[in-house]
Amino acid sequence: MSRDDPDENAPTSPLDVPNPRAITPAASIALLSQTDVIESEPGNGSLDADRAKEKLALEMAYEEVGLTEEPVILGKRPLRVRLWEITVNWLPLGYITFGGPAAHVALMLQLWVHSDDKRWLDAASFAELFSLCQTLPGPASTKLQFAIAIIRTGLFPALYAFLLWGLPGFVVMLGIAYGINAVGSGIPVWMAYVENGLVSVAVGLVALAAYKLARAMYTTDMQIFIGFLSFAFASAFSTTSWIYPVLMAGGGVIMYLWRALERLALEGRVDPKKTVWSNGWSIITGKKPGDAGSSEKNGASSQSSEKQATQLAQDVPPVYLTYSPSTGAVLIATAVLVFVVCIVVRNTSAYDGLPRPVQLFITLFECGVIIFGGGPVVIPLLAGYIVDQGWCTSQEFLIGLAFINCCPGPNFNFAAYLGALALRTSAASLFAGAVIGTAAIFSPGLLLIAGFLPFWHRVRTHSTARIVLDGVNAAAVGLVFAAAYGLWQKAIVPVTRNADGTIVVSSTSRILDVGQVPLYVILAAFGFVSCGVVTKWKIPDPWAVAVGGLVGLVQWAVSVR
């Protein structure tokens, strides 16, 4: 059937729908998407009036169902509008996202999910994106903000969002590399105090994010059980990088099996009063232990499943992408192909004869692909790749590690510092090394998340996929709880006083838990309560983080007197 021969059984326009209230949000947006496609085709100028009427009908439908967004595909708005939205919303993030990946996720959850005036995603969509970002290699929080920017504004504005997100930390780490190369430096004591204050508040914010996600996502006992398993195993095996994708995949499998068992029970194929072996035999043989009403139960179960699938389809938030799955496949293939080339070249004798900038790109691109778990995992791997090749000393590595922990934005900005030192022959080469290092380590994660988004968007509306995603999301919430626990355990950089009275940073690693310093416990509780528990006196997350840094600065001023 050609495009000019419409289906006689389907309405050709929103105006054909008798009652605008019958148009669900999902249906309204789907109709709008079709309308926009028709308008974009050449030769349809005579239909402008009809299309204007259709858009007016869609606007009425949106008002009827209570949607607040304008009935347009967000990624197809004028470019200047999208770039301005990115500037307004992402520019502050580069300066306030202290505390590492877990704190970044907590802040994004508050800004774009739980905000009163800016609700871009619902909790389920946010959890799904978080799960996808945790499953793929690379910096999880950077991929998450990049994915949200793609959904909200399109692919190219999302690249601009990434630059705003990482630029402040990049500039700081590049400046530290210049300083180290010129005169060398120690680790300032005041920075350790400020960092401890910032991270203590971040612990409270991460715990608050886990609490809010659990309240929004956990609707069944099985989801709570999956979340508990995820938290337990992630906490017990926190140093195992591949544990995160395994736990989320396991959560999806458990939820699918549980729903299948529930379906069998409704169909009368299992009897809770009988043994596991008896029920297993009934499933294998296909015999139902049920009564005469089993067929009625089966019909009711089928109707219930269809009703649930319809409801789930209608509850899908208005998420659109400006590119197709084929484009996503190209992005994924690009990342895989470059990774294979890097692996092959790095393990041959030809690697030693390559120029240092090419070696740097190959090394850090490989790191960006094989790292799961984000910033905490990248540190030991980079130590082996960079220090062992003689591109920087162990002391320089530790100094940079101390500074990156104090910087806002992604921890992977550490690659800018290491890349600059790897090419330190002149001021220009330092800058070039920082750019190469940053591009190499971030590229794999950004290519992969952008490539998988169209496939996520396509499968998430299927009833079976929704069941699996319920389990994946439950496991992802457990990982947020595990992140809060891990941050609590090793969040504080120890500062000690020598016998001569001088105060020094005794270690560049975070080896103390928050509970060992009462002041930091108070700051963690302050972050949790002031940003999410109270209502009348609630303060924004960035202000709470700033209070933590200010308290750390006051603590340093008092200690040096």
Side-chain angles (χ1 to χ4, degrees):
M1 183 173 61
S2 66
R3 189 180 62 185
D4 298 329
D5 300 326
D7 186 357
E8 61 181 3
N9 296 322
T12 59
S13 163
L15 296 175
D16 294 334
V17 181
N19 180 11
R21 290 183 182 273
I23 305 177
T24 64
S28 301
I29 300 168
L31 287 171
L32 172 65
S33 177
Q34 296 169 7
T35 302
D36 284 349
V37 171
I38 293 175
E39 282 187 275
S40 65
E41 295 178 358
N44 286 323
S46 61
L47 301 179
D48 288 346
D50 292 337
R51 298 303 174 236
K53 292 179 181 179
E54 290 180 357
K55 284 197 172 183
L56 179 60
L58 282 174
E59 291 174 0
M60 294 172 59
Y62 265 72
E63 293 178 359
E64 292 289 341
V65 298
L67 291 184
T68 58
E69 292 287 356
E70 296 180 2
V72 296
I73 298 177
L74 297 173
K76 292 184 178 180
R77 293 171 296 168
L79 181 61
R80 59 181 178 80
V81 174
R82 289 179 281 154
L83 291 177
W84 176 248
E85 184 176 63
I86 288 294
T87 303
V88 171
N89 290 279
W90 262 261
L91 184 60
L93 291 183
Y95 300 92
I96 63 176
T97 46
F98 294 92
H104 302 165
V105 173
L107 185 60
M108 285 184 271
L109 180 70
Q110 180 62 35
L111 289 176
W112 297 321
V113 177
H114 294 303
S115 175
D116 295 331
D117 58 344
K118 193 187 305 175
R119 189 174 183 269
W120 290 354
L121 293 171
D122 63 341
S125 299
F126 186 88
E128 290 169 15
L129 289 174
F130 175 71
S131 302
L132 182 62
C133 293
Q134 287 281 24
T135 303
L136 297 174
S141 60
T142 299
K143 288 180 294 183
L144 181 59
Q145 64 82 28
F146 187 64
I148 294 174
I150 289 176
I151 293 172
R152 184 72 185 180
T153 62
L155 186 58
F156 292 108
L159 293 173
Y160 172 56
F162 164 71
L163 293 178
L164 293 180
W165 161 264
L167 185 60
F170 172 88
V171 171
V172 171
M173 295 310 297
L174 177 60
I176 299 301
Y178 274 115
I180 292 293
N181 184 60
V183 296
S185 177
I187 303 172
V189 175
W190 65 268
M191 183 174 291
Y193 279 107
V194 172
E195 178 189 356
N196 289 341
L198 294 171
V199 173
S200 298
V201 176
V203 170
L205 295 180
V206 174
L208 179 63
Y211 170 73
K212 287 183 175 181
L213 273 178
R215 290 195 62 182
M217 298 298 302
Y218 288 166
T219 58
T220 65
D221 291 342
M222 179 52 64
Q223 287 177 309
I224 296 175
F225 176 69
I226 293 173
F228 166 75
L229 289 180
S230 177
F231 164 76
F233 281 97
S235 300
F237 301 97
S238 58
T239 58
T240 306
S241 60
W242 49 261
I243 194 68
Y244 302 109
V246 169
L247 287 175
M248 286 183 290
V253 171
I254 293 174
M255 181 58 71
Y256 179 80
L257 294 177
W258 178 254
R259 293 287 174 82
L261 185 61
E262 286 183 332
R263 186 172 63 253
L264 291 174
L266 289 173
E267 293 173 353
R269 298 182 62 181
V270 296
D271 187 349
K273 297 180 180 179
K274 292 189 176 183
T275 64
V276 175
W277 301 109
S278 177
N279 283 319
W281 178 252
S282 298
I283 295 173
I284 294 173
T285 58
K287 296 180 180 179
K288 298 182 180 180
D291 50 17
S294 60
S295 60
E296 289 81 357
K297 291 181 180 179
N298 189 19
S301 173
S302 177
Q303 294 177 1
S304 176
S305 299
E306 292 176 1
K307 182 177 180 181
Q308 183 182 21
T310 302
Q311 182 65 35
L312 286 171
Q314 293 178 353
D315 289 341
V316 174
V319 173
Y320 282 94
L321 298 174
T322 57
Y323 56 97
S324 64
S326 59
T327 303
V330 171
L331 296 175
I332 296 171
T334 301
V336 173
L337 179 62
V338 176
F339 173 64
V340 171
V341 172
C342 290
I343 286 289
V344 172
V345 172
R346 196 170 185 277
N347 289 277
T348 61
S349 58
Y351 175 80
D352 296 331
L354 294 174
R356 177 69 64 83
V358 178
Q359 291 180 333
L360 178 65
F361 180 87
I362 290 175
T363 299
L364 292 182
F365 191 94
E366 182 180 337
C367 288
V369 175
I370 64 178
I371 290 172
F372 290 89
V377 182
V378 73
I379 302 305
L381 188 64
L382 286 177
Y385 274 59
I386 304 298
V387 177
D388 290 353
Q389 294 193 76
W391 293 349
C392 74
T393 66
S394 297
Q395 181 63 20
E396 290 170 341
F397 184 91
L398 293 175
I399 291 173
L401 177 59
F403 276 95
I404 192 61
N405 286 329
C406 298
C407 286
N411 285 348
F412 275 45
N413 273 333
F414 194 28
Y417 170 82
L418 297 176
L421 293 183
L423 302 184
R424 50 180 158 183
T425 56
S426 64
S429 66
L430 278 164
F431 178 78
V435 172
I436 293 172
T438 301
I441 203 165
F442 280 107
S443 295
L446 299 185
L447 285 171
L448 290 173
I449 188 62
F452 275 100
L453 275 180
F455 299 100
W456 162 78
H457 180 239
R458 172 170 290 186
V459 304
R460 69 191 299 263
T461 57
H462 298 172
S463 57
T464 301
R466 294 298 309 177
I467 292 173
V468 173
L469 286 173
D470 282 345
V472 172
N473 294 343
V477 175
L479 293 181
V480 180
F481 276 103
Y485 174 69
L487 197 57
W488 174 280
Q489 272 193 317
K490 295 182 179 180
I492 306 303
V493 175
V495 180
T496 58
R497 187 182 296 272
N498 291 333
D500 58 359
T502 58
I503 300 175
V504 297
V505 179
S506 59
S507 173
T508 54
S509 300
R510 294 175 176 178
I511 60 175
L512 299 180
D513 68 58
V514 175
Q516 292 180 264
V517 184
L519 175 62
Y520 299 148
V521 176
I522 295 173
L523 286 176
F526 166 76
F528 185 89
V529 174
S530 64
C531 297
V533 176
V534 298
T535 54
K536 184 177 180 180
W537 295 335
K538 183 178 179 180
I539 65 175
D541 293 13
W543 287 105
V545 173
V547 168
L550 181 61
V551 170
L553 197 60
V554 171
Q555 185 187 16
W556 165 75
V558 172
S559 65
V560 297
R561 294 185 62 181

